[in-house]
Amino acid sequence: VDLEEFAEAFVQGQRQKEEYECQMFMFNNCDCNENDDKDDGFNREYCEYDCYAKNSKMASKCIDRNPYEEEQEGQEEQRRFEAERYVGCQELEIENNGDDGNAQVDYDEDGNAITYYVGSTCSDKGDAVYLAVYTDDTCTIQADTSVYKKLTGTALPYSASSKNSLITTDCVSCVEQEDPNRKAEAEANGEYYYEELKISDACTEMYEAAGKCETNLAATSKYTEAITDACSYIAGIKISRSNGVLDKSMAKGSKVATAFIVIFGVAFVGLAGFVYTLHKKIMDAKKAPLLD
């Protein structure tokens, strides 16, 4: 599985996890559903915004727009930055700047408009994945780090300067979570609700394509069989700490390889000694006078 595919699935998984946490917080802490006990002045968007705003942790995670500000004259809806859109190198879209939303605000020496792109890049030490701005559609030539802020007025999320990596060591569930309101509505109507366990398509596709070393998978399971085809490859990957330094303590040596190295070394030294002795005898024979 390549970096772009994994990063996109990881970010989408993180987003779905946050959305489910927001749904559960709303379900357990706020009553923002439109039902008969609400008056005519009830506004669901205001209710949800006020609910999240009371909790600083949930506010940063769940609020992507302010409905109060959007009602003011001249204010338009602001979309949340979707990092998964730019993992695979996409043209940078500038909202509300030009007729088509993709206006070019910079020009080259010939007066031609410059199109910018956003894509993923690895850190210098290889321990993080960031987003960066590029000047080409293959995302190989990076632009100055200030370009994104100049075009949008905000800093680029997940950039190297933010030290916030797209991919972290946190696990992301592959189970697609159901909306908690569905279960509540079914129970309120006296209906039986069955929550089916469903694995996301992204996880399924990556699992099928990825190399596997499932040595810890229960071999007695009647539902699946452990696959260990990629164990040798995975064992050969160098393991680095978070600071990018190779952790030699985590790398296990091969006894067979070590034995072959020792045998080869001894054989090489022995062969070198034999060649030297033979060469010396030949040279001594050349120097010795011929017998009469």
Side-chain angles (χ1 to χ4, degrees), residues 59-74:
S60 60
K61 184 184 300 184
C62 305
I63 295 178
D64 58 357
R65 51 186 292 272
N66 187 337
Y68 294 103
E69 292 182 354
E70 290 171 10
E71 284 197 350
Q72 299 176 9
E73 185 177 356

Side-chain angles (χ1 to χ4, degrees), residues 93-107:
E93 296 182 0
I94 309 300
E95 295 183 4
N96 306 323
N97 190 357
D99 296 334
D100 59 357
N102 294 299
Q104 311 301 324
V105 296
D106 278 355
Y107 299 88

Side-chain angles (χ1 to χ4, degrees), residues 144-165:
D144 188 87
T145 54
S146 62
V147 168
Y148 186 88
K149 188 172 185 179
K150 175 183 177 182
L151 299 177
T152 65
T154 60
L156 176 63
Y158 301 104
S159 64
S161 59
S162 71
K163 303 298 182 182
N164 187 16
S165 176

Side-chain angles (χ1 to χ4, degrees), residues 210-214 227-239:
K212 305 170 187 62
C213 183
E214 301 172 335
I227 303 175
T228 58
D229 296 342
C231 288
S232 298
Y233 172 77
I234 295 174
I237 297 176
K238 295 181 179 179
I239 303 173

Side-chain angles (χ1 to χ4, degrees), residues 185-226:
E185 291 175 359
E187 292 177 349
N189 296 329
E191 301 173 356
Y192 175 74
Y193 180 81
Y194 174 72
E195 184 175 353
E196 182 181 0
L197 183 65
K198 184 179 180 182
I199 305 300
S200 66
D201 293 337
C203 285
T204 302
E205 292 173 1
M206 281 198 301
Y207 174 79
E208 292 176 350
K212 305 170 187 62
C213 183
E214 301 172 335
T215 54
N216 294 327
L217 187 65
T220 57
S221 173
K222 63 180 181 180
Y223 299 106
T224 185
E225 182 178 352

